[in-house]
Amino acid sequence: MNDIRPTADFAPLASRRASAARAETLAPTCRGLNYYTIDGSLRDLLPLYMDEPLLAHLTPHLRELGELAGNRLHDLSDACERHPPVLHGRDSYGRDEEWLEYHPAYREMEAIAFGRFGMHALTHRGGVMGWPEPMPPLAKYVFHYLFAQAEFGLLCPVNLTDSSSELVRRFGSEAVRARYLDLMWSQDLSRLHRCAQFMTEKAGGSDVGAGDLLAARDGDHWRLWGEKWFCSNVDAELAVLLARPEGAPAGGRGLGLFLMPKTLADGTRNAYRIVRLKDKLGSRTMASGEIVFEGAVAYQLGALDQGLKQMLVMVNSSRVSHLARAAGMMRRCLNEALQAARHRNAFGKAVVDHPLMRRQLLKLMVPTEQALSALLHAATAPEAALRLITPIAKYRACRDNVTVATGAMEARGGNGYIEDWPNARLVRDAHLGLIWEGTSNINALDAVQRAVGKAKAHGALRDDLAGRLEKASGLPGQFRTRLDGAIAQAFRLAEEVAAHPEHERFCRMAAGKLYHATTAAVLASEGLRLGAAGGDARRLLLARFVLEHRLQPGQPASFEALRWEDQATDLLLADAPVPLAQAAALLTR
């Protein structure tokens, strides 16, 4: 008969202490890190793009936001994700004064974004963060990039308030500007008028010109009748929207641009109802809903037959904001994947030391670094080139965000699929970037058929890239020849697709090639400039990865031809700077 060992011999295995000890084998998240301090790419690149006095002034603020993003803002965002806004149809007296209840964490996040950093106002007026003048767009997008690594949804109201105020400034009457602009740029949350943009209707979707919201003149203002189907930041103090004035023709040319306040001058609620909130896949912290207009007062912005054209004024800035969010979220995903791989052991060694995982990490790193370069380039590019940069970057970076978020989830394994960990939310939020400011098809069509085919904006972009590469002396000749050839091929493809309407089905391919050509050139230029100054030339290696795997993908002649990738991967996954000579040698090996 076998002896039965006493239960007490095994009890320690089920103790709290034993459970806690096992938990130490799990890889940590990025919670507790400073997202600015750990971002060597951003810190290296900013001196190339931002004037030194402004960068010196903003560095403490960027460091503060990086600390908040990895700590307090991180926790506030998680709380808001668990406690999304709630719509109440009536007040306690039974009056139809619908209102939204937000978790206190959301209001604190607003205080950080609108109040502490003034992200909605810093390009419009002086005084934000102690800088005496309005800042360049680059400054705004860098703050978006860091903020997005902790909180995605609130950046929609921030961007809408920012971009809508520009529409009011350009197209509003003197009275409308005097009444609202100062409120839209306030950092005092008790005065701040947040803004929304209500565009989509049931019949419209991407075809905005199909909208039928009616505007009827009533003295010095207009009254709105009808519905809007997707309304982000649904309870904002102001909303910019498109409506069709009585008697206006069908289609986009018949739409006018209007500003609608939530509260009228006498303090009464405007005549529209929030009928329900959307139960969304992602961005749950921000309220999106449906609105019925019952004669709501609105004020005309600009010419009545130019509404859609005027609305497009803010498309470039909004698309760059989406690029900033995608770039920031990819950085967070890459950092989470690196945390998981470096702090988790499997089969006798750290996960990061397994060759297949190293290759997978590079597949996350390359699009992440492309997006950062695309963002800094877009924020400082010539206006003529920006017309093409924004749709190709919005198209490709937002799609890459989904792939990178999914790859980072897989790098963490089963925990990545659990809502207690950050990856599931990052995957959900990434998908919204594919919808806002135009789907992938809409952006690809805009890039190829309109920006290339009609505006000929590819000429300005081609000249911009050529100028950057001309200044990047020191590129090995063989690599430079291959890069120049691939860039020329991408532009020829876009021209050919644009010239023949029957080739519309290739618009996404052409837009993607243009994005990869642009980022490969920018990465190479950045890598050379940083390396020549004695810094980190790793972006040269990233440029080659883009050329080999994204711009001209194909089956290698032999595995021996890929040996350079092993050496490049070792350099890119290490923390040490890559010397220029070492990076340059690997461009042609």
Side-chain angles (χ1 to χ4, degrees), residues 408-424:
M409 177 182 68
E410 188 176 9
R412 192 170 288 279
N415 285 333
Y417 198 68
I418 305 303
E419 293 286 352
D420 292 343
W421 298 75
N423 299 90

Side-chain angles (χ1 to χ4, degrees), residues 98-404:
E98 70 277 357
W99 58 283
L100 264 63
E101 179 181 1
Y102 289 95
H103 191 273
Y106 187 82
R107 297 306 187 191
E108 189 174 340
M109 289 200 305
E110 286 187 313
I112 293 171
F114 290 103
R116 168 64 189 88
F117 295 104
M119 291 161 58
H120 64 302
L122 59 82
T123 62
H124 299 290
R125 63 169 176 82
V128 178
M129 288 182 278
W131 191 251
E133 301 171 348
M135 298 184 209
L138 172 62
K140 168 178 65 179
Y141 295 128
V142 172
F143 279 90
H144 282 216
Y145 167 86
L146 283 173
F147 198 94
Q149 294 183 45
E151 164 60 22
F152 173 73
L154 184 61
L155 283 174
C156 176
V158 170
N159 178 61
L160 293 180
T161 304
D162 168 21
S163 58
S164 297
S165 72
E166 180 63 13
L167 295 177
V168 173
R169 187 189 70 81
R170 290 198 188 194
F171 305 117
S173 67
E174 183 176 344
V176 167
R177 293 197 304 270
R179 180 172 181 182
Y180 291 116
L181 275 182
D182 182 61
L183 297 173
M184 297 176 80
W185 294 337
S186 177
Q187 290 177 258
D188 179 353
L189 267 67
S190 67
R191 297 183 66 246
L192 171 65
H193 276 41
R194 305 159 191 81
C195 201
Q197 291 171 5
F198 301 159
M199 296 296 123
T200 308
E201 301 186 24
K202 291 176 179 176
S206 296
D207 183 6
V208 177
D212 64 1
L213 180 67
L214 178 68
R217 187 181 289 278
D218 184 10
D220 64 349
H221 57 264
W222 296 75
R223 291 192 177 273
L224 304 176
W225 301 89
E227 292 182 81
K228 288 289 184 181
W229 183 237
F230 279 104
C231 303
S232 295
N233 200 25
V234 69
D235 68 332
E237 287 82 3
L238 295 167
V240 170
L241 44 78
L242 293 170
R244 195 174 307 280
E246 273 188 295
R253 293 181 181 179
L255 295 175
L257 185 64
F258 298 88
L259 179 72
M260 182 189 73
K262 178 179 179 179
T263 304
L264 302 178
D266 62 2
T268 60
R269 180 70 173 267
N270 206 350
Y272 67 88
R273 290 182 293 114
I274 305 170
V275 292
R276 73 167 173 170
L277 298 185
K278 298 289 192 181
D279 186 8
K280 304 191 298 292
L281 173 69
S283 72
R284 295 174 179 172
T285 59
M286 186 270 299
S288 299
E290 302 163 19
I291 286 182
V292 172
F293 302 84
E294 302 170 324
V297 171
Y299 301 99
Q300 177 181 336
L301 296 178
L304 286 178
D305 61 350
Q306 297 293 306
L308 184 55
K309 184 177 180 180
Q310 291 164 177
M311 174 58 73
L312 294 177
V313 166
M314 46 68 60
V315 167
N316 272 349
S317 64
S318 288
R319 283 176 173 170
V320 180
S321 175
H322 281 290
L323 170 59
R325 283 174 249 181
M329 291 173 69
M330 280 191 266
R331 179 68 59 185
R332 171 70 185 281
C333 290
L334 173 61
N335 286 337
E336 291 291 346
L338 289 170
Q339 282 284 89
R342 287 170 174 167
H343 294 89
R344 180 78 168 169
N345 290 328
F347 309 109
K349 57 184 177 180
V351 171
V352 73
D353 291 331
H354 290 273
L356 188 55
M357 177 55 78
R358 295 174 75 78
R359 178 177 172 83
Q360 294 307 110
L361 290 171
L362 259 292
K363 292 175 75 172
L364 307 184
M365 179 183 292
V366 170
T368 297
E369 298 292 358
Q370 280 183 272
L372 177 57
S373 291
L375 172 63
L376 299 179
H377 179 225
T380 55
E383 187 68 28
L386 194 62
R387 175 63 185 89
L388 179 55
I389 293 170
T390 54
I392 62 174
K394 163 62 173 65
Y395 159 63
R396 189 64 259 170
C398 288
R399 295 200 65 78
D400 284 346
N401 190 16
V402 174
T403 303
V404 170

Side-chain angles (χ1 to χ4, degrees), residues 481-495:
T481 299
R482 291 187 61 213
L483 181 58
D484 285 345
I487 293 172
Q489 185 181 43
F491 279 86
R492 282 197 302 270
L493 174 64
E495 289 173 337

Side-chain angles (χ1 to χ4, degrees), residues 54-122:
L54 179 59
L55 178 56
H57 181 82
L58 287 182
T59 295
H61 300 285
L62 293 169
R63 188 176 294 113
E64 179 187 354
L65 180 55
E67 180 69 18
L68 284 168
N71 292 277
R72 182 60 180 166
L73 183 58
H74 175 287
D75 295 345
L76 293 171
S77 181
D78 277 359
C80 291
E81 183 77 359
R82 295 191 300 273
H83 303 282
V86 177
L87 174 63
H88 297 274
R90 285 187 159 195
D91 67 10
S92 57
Y93 289 89
R95 293 172 294 208
D96 293 325
E97 296 281 350
E98 70 277 357
W99 58 283
L100 264 63
E101 179 181 1
Y102 289 95
H103 191 273
Y106 187 82
R107 297 306 187 191
E108 189 174 340
M109 289 200 305
E110 286 187 313
I112 293 171
F114 290 103
R116 168 64 189 88
F117 295 104
M119 291 161 58
H120 64 302
L122 59 82

Side-chain angles (χ1 to χ4, degrees), residues 437-459:
E437 294 303 338
T439 62
S440 298
N441 282 354
I442 291 298
N443 278 275
L445 288 167
D446 183 41
V448 177
Q449 293 186 340
R450 288 185 283 277
V452 174
K454 294 182 179 180
K456 309 301 181 186
H458 59 300

